[in-house]
Structure formats: structure tokens, C-alpha cells
């Protein structure tokens, strides 16, 4: 059984004290969390404060990006051991905003995955098509290629711990969601691609999230799909009430 994983991607929001206030508001609303995993991904500058605020809870800490070198003259970058030292467990890699605004390629995503895994961080690797690519009918081949390039050379021993997020770019922050069936269909293609690399048993154990305008009102339907194992939530994760409702979608 795959344990659902719901991650809040706070993007470039929240000063440390605001982040702590959000955690304080959120934690009592979440319930027991026995059968699901919840990850908070604040900006780098709020990682220590959020790490402290969630200490002793079942929540995990995640970062939104990482560099693939371990140290050196890379002004402005953050290395995997630096995140590890702050208690970070997960790291979002290859988010479409990184690909779109910061020129991240599949090759960089692959190097970041390897570096993160080698230093004990678990990637949440994002794939997904733009509207143009969807309209051109290349959604499936595109996500297949993003997965194949992203996972190139990544050892099978690591694969089960990696989370994939399928995020259609046109659904991010737009209020448009893929229908649950459509998201399920593309996620099935992703799982088949992973099965082609690691075999059926490993692919069946890997968690694949949906992301893109996830809200309390559409989460239960998404989670009702057999291939969808959780969500990567942007906007709605900045509001304690909304995010708690998303986490407790089956209450
Ligand atoms: P959204 O963002 O929920 O605001 O659409 C999702 C994401 O970018 O991970």
C-alpha cells in the first residue's frame, strides 16, 4: 500500500515569523496523520523556523530547490548537505517555475536528484506539460521523456523513496485543474514509464502526486483515483483551513 503524501509548496511566501504562525494555526487542525504523510516546503529562509515549529509532530520538512554541487564557488546556491543539516527530508526538484524562469533542464533535474539522494534527501520530482504541449497532443511523450531523463542512472535502491509530482503547467495557480480521470490517465503513463526502468514491483511502490490548483473541493475526487497518491499544493497550502481540509480529504 502506498501511503498518501501531501506537500505544501509555499513558494516565495512567508517571513519566518509568518511561517511559524501558519504552522501553529495548521498543526491542531491536521488530526492524527497516522495514514498519510504531510510535508511543508517553506522558502529556504524559513526552514529553520518551520523545522522548530513542527518538531515533535509527524510533519516533515521539505525544501523547494537544491543545487547539484556539494560546495564551491556557486554564489546564491544551496547544497544538499546544507539542507540536510537543517532537518530537511524532502526536496522539490524540477518544479515548472524553476524550469520556466530559471532555465532548469532535465539534465539539471537529473543531477539534482542524484546529489539529493546521495546526501539523504528525498526528491519530489515534478513533471508536466504546458498548454501548448497539451494542445499539440504530446503530453504523454513529454512526461515520459521528462521521467526518463530525470531518472537516468538513478539506482533502483533509491527509486522507491522518490516521489513524483505530475503538474500540468497550465493548471498551476490558474484555478484550472485537470479532471481527476485525466490526471489519473497521465499518472498511469508515468508509472508505466517507471516500470520500464525499474520493473513493475518498484513502480507500483512509488508515490505519484497530482499538482495544479488542488483545493479542498477537488481533493477527494483526485484521491479517489487509483493512481493518484497525494498532492503537491501551492496556493491553498498558504491557508491553514484550506490545507487542513486538503490533508483530511476523506474526513
Ligand atoms: P497551485 O500550485 O496549487 O497554486 O496551483 C501548485 C504547485 O505549483 O506546486
Amino acid at each position: 500500500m502506498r501511503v498518501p503524501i501531501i506537500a505544501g509548496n509555499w513558494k516565495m511566501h512567508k517571513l519566518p515569523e509568518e511561517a511559524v504562525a501558519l504552522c501553529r494555526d495548521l498543526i491542531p487542525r491536521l488530526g492524527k496523520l497516522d495514514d498519510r504523510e504531510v510535508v511543508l516546503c517553506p522558502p529556504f529562509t524559513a526552514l529553520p523556523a518551520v523545522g522548530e515549529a513542527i518538531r515533535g509532530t509527524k510533519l516533515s520538512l521539505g525544501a523547494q530547490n537544491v543545487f547539484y554541487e556539494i560546495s564551491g564557488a556557486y554564489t546564491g546556491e544551496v547544497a544538499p548537505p546544507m539542507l540536510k543539516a537543517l532537518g530537511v527530508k524532502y526536496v522539490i526538484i524540477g518544479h515548472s517555475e524553476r524550469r520556466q524562469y530559471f532555465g532548469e533542464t532535465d539534465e539539471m533535474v537529473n543531477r539534482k536528484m542524484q546529489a539529493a539522494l546521495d546526501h539523504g534527501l528525498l526528491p519530489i520530482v515534478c513533471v508536466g506539460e504546458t498548454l501548448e504541449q497539451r494542445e499539440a497532443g504530446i503530453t504523454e511523450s513529454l512526461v515520459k521523456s521528462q521521467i526518463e531523463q530525470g531518472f537516468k542512472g538513478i539506482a533502483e535502491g533509491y527509486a522507491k523513496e522518490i516521489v513524483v509530482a505530475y503538474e500540468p503547467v497550465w493548471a498551476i495557480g490558474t484555478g484550472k485543474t485537470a479532471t481527476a480521470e485525466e490526471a489519473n490517465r497521465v499518472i498511469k503513463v508515468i508509472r508505466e514509464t517507471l516500470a520500464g526502468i525499474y520493473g513493475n514491483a518498484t513502480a507500483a511502490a512509488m508515490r505519484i502526486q497530482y499538482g495544479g490548483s488542488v483545493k479542498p473541493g477537488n481533493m477527494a475526487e483526485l484521491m479517489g483515483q487509483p493512481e493518484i497518491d497525494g498532492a503537491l499544493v501551492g496556493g491553498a497550502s498558504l491557508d491553514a483551513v484550506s490545507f487542513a481540509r486538503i490533508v483530511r480529504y476523506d474526513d
Side-chain angles (χ1 to χ4, degrees):
M1 264 308 281
R2 301 187 292 260
V3 176
I5 177 163
I6 299 135
N9 171 13
W10 293 1
K11 307 196 179 181
M12 198 172 71
H13 296 284
K14 304 287 177 194
L15 297 172
E17 59 268 33
E18 295 168 336
V20 169
L22 178 53
C23 292
R24 293 216 174 108
D25 194 2
L26 179 65
I27 290 164
R29 297 177 192 275
L30 290 178
K32 278 214 181 123
L33 302 181
D34 286 336
D35 56 356
R36 65 204 68 193
E37 216 179 325
V38 178
V39 186
L40 301 182
C41 307
F44 288 138
T45 46
L47 283 169
V50 171
E52 188 59 36
I54 65 175
R55 191 192 298 269
T57 72
K58 288 194 174 151
L59 293 164
S60 299
L61 192 60
Q64 299 174 18
N65 185 25
V66 66
F67 194 49
Y68 47 74
E69 295 292 350
I70 301 321
S71 64
Y74 300 103
T75 302
E77 291 296 330
V78 174
M82 297 171 179
L83 295 178
K84 192 70 191 165
L86 296 180
V88 170
K89 180 171 182 188
Y90 289 95
V91 59
I92 299 171
I93 294 178
H95 189 278
S96 66
E97 287 151 16
R98 302 283 332 157
R99 295 179 189 257
Q100 199 178 334
Y101 306 136
F102 303 98
E104 281 192 20
T105 61
D106 288 331
E107 196 209 328
M108 289 161 77
V109 168
N110 178 248
R111 292 179 73 180
K112 290 181 174 201
M113 293 249 284
Q114 190 67 61
L117 288 160
D118 286 345
H119 291 85
L121 299 170
L122 305 181
I124 298 177
V125 59
C126 303
V127 298
E129 81 287 1
T130 62
L131 185 58
E132 213 177 18
Q133 290 162 333
R134 163 156 294 236
E135 284 170 351
I138 59 167
T139 297
E140 295 187 11
S141 57
L142 193 268
V143 297
K144 198 165 180 283
S145 147
Q146 287 175 326
I147 292 287
E148 284 168 351
Q149 308 283 320
F151 280 80
K152 204 177 250 171
I154 302 291
E156 186 176 351
Y158 282 146
K160 274 190 200 168
E161 307 228 70
I162 299 171
V163 177
V164 177
Y166 167 55
E167 300 205 306
V169 179
W170 49 270
I172 296 177
T174 58
K176 291 183 197 151
T177 2
T179 64
E181 291 76 20
E182 175 57 10
N184 190 68
R185 192 183 64 76
V186 180
I187 288 177
K188 191 152 182 282
V189 171
I190 292 171
R191 200 177 302 285
E192 284 162 4
T193 309
L194 291 166
I197 307 172
Y198 298 111
N200 286 335
T202 297
M206 291 176 69
R207 294 178 295 178
I208 309 179
Q209 302 171 315
Y210 168 78
S213 296
V214 173
K215 300 274 176 320
N218 56 24
M219 182 66 177
E221 200 194 347
L222 288 161
M223 293 304 291
Q225 298 290 325
E227 298 291 342
I228 302 181
D229 304 317
L232 181 55
V233 186
S237 72
L238 292 168
D239 178 79
V241 173
S242 293
F243 191 58
R245 285 181 61 204
I246 289 169
V247 169
R248 302 173 59 153
Y249 58 90
D250 48 359
D251 260 9

